[in-house]
Amino acid sequence: MAISTTLAAPRTKTAAIGDRGFRWLVTIAGAFVLLALGAAALSMLWGGRAAFAKFGPAFLWSGAWDPIGQQFGALVPIYGTLVTALIAMLIAVPVSFGIAMFLTEVAPRWLRAPIGGAIELLAGIPSIIYGMWGLFVLVPVLAGHVYPWIDAHLGQWPLVGVLFAGPPLGLGMLTAGLVLAIMVIPFIASVMREVFRTVPGRLKESAYALGSTRWEVVWDVVLPYTRSAVIGGIFLGLGRALGETMAVTFVLGNAHDLTASLLMPGNSIAATIANEFAEADSAMYRSSLIALGFVLFLVTFVVLAIARLMLHRLARREGR
Amino acid sequence: MRRMLQLRRNATNLLAQSLAVAATAFGLFWLAWIVWTTLRMGLHALTPALFTQMTPPPGEGGGMLNAFFGSALISLLGIAMGAPIGVLAGTFLAEYAQTPWSARIGAIIRFVNDILLSAPSIVLGLFVYTLVVAPSGHFSALAGAIALGFIVLPVVVRMTDEMLRLVPAQMREAALSLGVPQSKVVLQVLYRASLPGIVTGILLALARISGETAPLLFTALNNQYWSADINAPMANVPVVIFQFAMSPYEQWHALAWAGALVLTLFVLGVSLVARVFVARGHFTHD
């Protein structure tokens, strides 16, 4: 693939200048990508400097959110972001694994392409549609039929009961987690399906020849072979769940309260920014919201970096 | 004993396969529900006025003409800014990052690009807010286009990089053996060979930014009236849908659903066209 510079040296002087100019142009464009990410981080650090300077590290664990008294803390949004993403992953990871297993081992061949395509269709739908559907369709169903039952039954259990007790508003952390799960399932499932496909046929055939069942092939051959990439795919979905804005904003309820109950409204970093930024009327308010964005950026950066490293590990073994 | 083991293994296998089928049904169930809702509510509210009238004041009927125009303009500007830089950066990764030193830089750029690819879009909105809106003192369609450009960039970089690397080495060698300089090899041979793939990348980027709401909330903002001034706030479909859906007015809800239907059909249509391009690209490579 590599083209040695001496071989490709142009003959005339003007052609040489053009050639070198193009080389510079593409190099600058490449550097621009690096610059974009660095500038995004720095600009948010700069925009949030007033909040960081005033509240210090306590910004991260202060539960205050008082635009009138000019007191801001990130605890409630951070808590909401983590809890909704956790709920989403608890639902999405096993389901995605099941879908990937179905699409690579269980389903008859003629069924694999159409169902795989349909699942990927789900990934293409804009997130605002998920949000609207969640607010107008899912919330009334949950509030009318599902949450009263959860409150009456699971809410009575010792220890975990406090998570599921509360008025059936429909809006809240559990709803947001469910909508997020529906959103990230196609992402995780398609990554898992892709990596499951990279398992060499002879490995699986050997296992089948020894009398393994399909489940044993998936669990003992496919999964160990693809483990790092599967974790990478899960983290990719987690990164998306943490940063998703519109789907969550519609159904989370926008309440700055720290509650144990998952049925109660809450807030996430992205939803707080989306709801309040355009109306933020003081410099400190705006700075605090940008500081929140910086926190979100850092968290997703770490999660996505882990995802990419894990995915690279399988790719490297594959010799790609 | 052996019989028991056999039975247990078969039972586990059967259970696992049933759960896999159930998981797929679970995924498809939500897809069907969401698509059905969008179709039902959207078709119900779809009127010719949607494409001929402006966004209405609260509680009145109207259309979304200004929003469609704004979205088209902002998205095209975003593509116009993000795609050329993306193609060039992808070219650097695939063709120029070959010496040991620049290959290492190339690996870092690929890594950063992959992160940018899945970075939360609201963060890019905040970035462009501090970069453009705050210094200039006002929201503008241009700021919205820049924010979308940052979403287009990594998609196009990745696609260009991958597509150029798919071009067989013989093509490069054939051109070089004729004494063609490297820039000409890239511009006249490689771009031509990988054009379907690059166009696919740009179409996928278009599909992605058409539905993006979060980065426009505090860059392009919204505008109830017709505006073609890129230095002023401009109406756009996602933000109008957001505003109308969150409002308490029935007519606004109906308009939001109609807009949502048009948006979904457009996004899915563009991704479908993109796939056709990929299929054709692979065909010519073989």
Side-chain angles (χ1 to χ4, degrees), chain A residues 7-249:
Chain A
L7 249 183
R11 289 186 193 163
T12 62
K13 208 164 185 187
T14 46
I17 292 171
D19 205 46
R20 192 160 315 151
F22 188 72
R23 176 181 290 271
W24 273 108
L25 195 65
V26 296
T27 311
I28 290 168
F32 183 80
V33 175
L34 285 180
L35 194 75
L37 195 78
L42 285 180
S43 74
M44 274 185 293
L45 193 60
W46 176 252
R49 70 191 185 283
F52 286 127
K54 185 172 173 197
F55 305 115
F59 179 74
L60 292 178
W61 56 81
S62 157
W65 195 266
D66 178 10
I68 297 159
Q70 298 280 302
Q71 290 299 314
F72 299 100
L75 180 67
V76 175
I78 289 178
Y79 173 77
T81 304
L82 295 180
V83 169
T84 51
L86 184 72
I87 297 171
M89 299 318 280
L90 284 178
I91 302 171
V93 170
V95 170
S96 307
F97 177 70
I99 293 176
M101 177 181 160
F102 180 79
L103 288 176
T104 53
E105 297 296 327
V106 179
R109 270 178 203 285
W110 57 270
L111 206 59
R112 293 182 187 180
I115 291 192
I119 297 285
E120 273 172 24
L121 198 72
L122 197 58
I125 297 175
S127 61
I128 189 162
I129 311 290
Y130 285 88
M132 274 183 81
W133 170 82
L135 179 65
F136 289 115
V137 180
L138 187 63
V139 164
V141 171
L142 292 177
H145 305 288
V146 182
Y147 286 173
W149 184 88
I150 288 184
D151 181 37
H153 293 81
L154 300 187
Q156 307 305 318
W157 289 4
L159 291 176
V160 296
V162 65
L163 289 177
F164 299 107
L169 300 171
L171 298 167
M173 308 259 220
L174 194 57
T175 314
L178 181 61
V179 174
L180 274 181
I182 298 169
M183 279 201 67
V184 297
I185 282 171
F187 283 89
I188 304 180
S190 64
V191 173
M192 282 189 186
R193 181 176 69 142
E194 287 306 313
V195 299
F196 283 3
R197 277 184 180 163
T198 65
V199 178
R202 57 179 187 279
L203 279 184
K204 291 195 284 186
E205 282 157 17
S206 314
Y208 280 126
L210 290 172
S212 299
T213 61
R214 274 190 186 146
W215 167 247
E216 285 162 350
V217 168
V218 170
W219 192 252
D220 297 327
V221 176
V222 172
L223 203 56
Y225 187 85
T226 55
R227 187 180 293 125
S228 66
V230 166
I231 296 172
I234 292 171
F235 272 74
L236 214 56
L238 178 62
R240 201 172 162 86
L242 289 169
E244 175 49 42
T245 311
M246 298 324 293
V248 176
T249 306

Side-chain angles (χ1 to χ4, degrees), chain A residues 1-3 7-11 15 18-19 22-23 25-27 29-34 36-37 39-41 43-44 47 91 94-96 98-99 101-103 106 115 117-122 124-130 132-133 135-138 141 178 182 185 210-216 236 239-240 242-246 249-250 270-271 273-275 277-278 286 289-290 292-294 296-297 300-301 304-305 308-309 312, chain B residues 9-10 12-13 16-17 19-21 23-24 26-28 30-31 33-35 37-38 40-41 85 88-89 91-92 95-96 98 105 108-109 111-124 126-127 129-131 139 150 153 157-158 164-169 172 176 178-187 191 207-208 211-214 217-218 221 238-239 241-242 245-246 253 256-257 260-261 263-264 267-268 271 275:
Chain A
M1 284 290 234
I3 300 167
L7 249 183
R11 289 186 193 163
D19 205 46
F22 188 72
R23 176 181 290 271
L25 195 65
V26 296
T27 311
F32 183 80
V33 175
L34 285 180
L37 195 78
S43 74
M44 274 185 293
I91 302 171
V95 170
S96 307
I99 293 176
M101 177 181 160
F102 180 79
L103 288 176
V106 179
I115 291 192
I119 297 285
E120 273 172 24
L121 198 72
L122 197 58
I125 297 175
S127 61
I128 189 162
I129 311 290
Y130 285 88
M132 274 183 81
W133 170 82
L135 179 65
F136 289 115
V137 180
L138 187 63
V141 171
L178 181 61
I182 298 169
I185 282 171
L210 290 172
S212 299
T213 61
R214 274 190 186 146
W215 167 247
E216 285 162 350
L236 214 56
R240 201 172 162 86
L242 289 169
E244 175 49 42
T245 311
M246 298 324 293
T249 306
F250 274 99
I273 299 170
N275 272 321
F277 198 84
R286 213 155 256 203
L289 287 167
I290 297 178
L292 267 185
F294 182 71
L296 177 65
F297 181 82
T300 48
F301 182 89
L304 293 174
R308 291 299 169 184
L309 290 175
H312 274 291
Chain B
R9 285 177 57 205
N10 278 336
T12 315
N13 184 42
Q17 292 197 37
L19 285 178
V21 173
T24 311
F26 182 82
L28 292 175
W30 301 112
L31 172 72
W33 196 358
I34 292 170
V35 169
T37 305
T38 313
R40 188 174 59 99
M41 307 289 271
I85 303 178
L88 290 174
T91 309
F92 171 76
E95 300 298 323
Y96 285 86
Q98 305 287 6
I105 305 247
I108 297 173
I109 293 178
F111 183 74
V112 164
N113 190 65
D114 280 349
I115 288 184
L116 212 54
L117 195 63
S118 18
S121 54
I122 193 158
V123 163
L124 295 171
L126 279 181
F127 166 42
Y129 175 85
T130 46
L131 194 74
F139 298 102
F150 277 110
L153 178 73
V157 170
R158 174 111 188 235
L164 285 178
R165 283 195 289 170
L166 278 181
V167 178
R172 294 178 184 78
L176 288 170
L178 295 173
V180 181
Q182 194 179 0
S183 57
K184 290 254 167 68
V185 174
V186 170
L187 290 171
Y191 279 170
R208 179 142 177 229
E212 281 290 354
T213 317
L217 281 175
F218 25 83
L221 205 67
V239 175
I241 292 177
F242 179 53
M246 288 295 230
H253 289 173
W257 278 113
L261 175 67
L263 183 64
T264 309
V267 169
L268 296 182
S271 356
R275 267 166 207 237

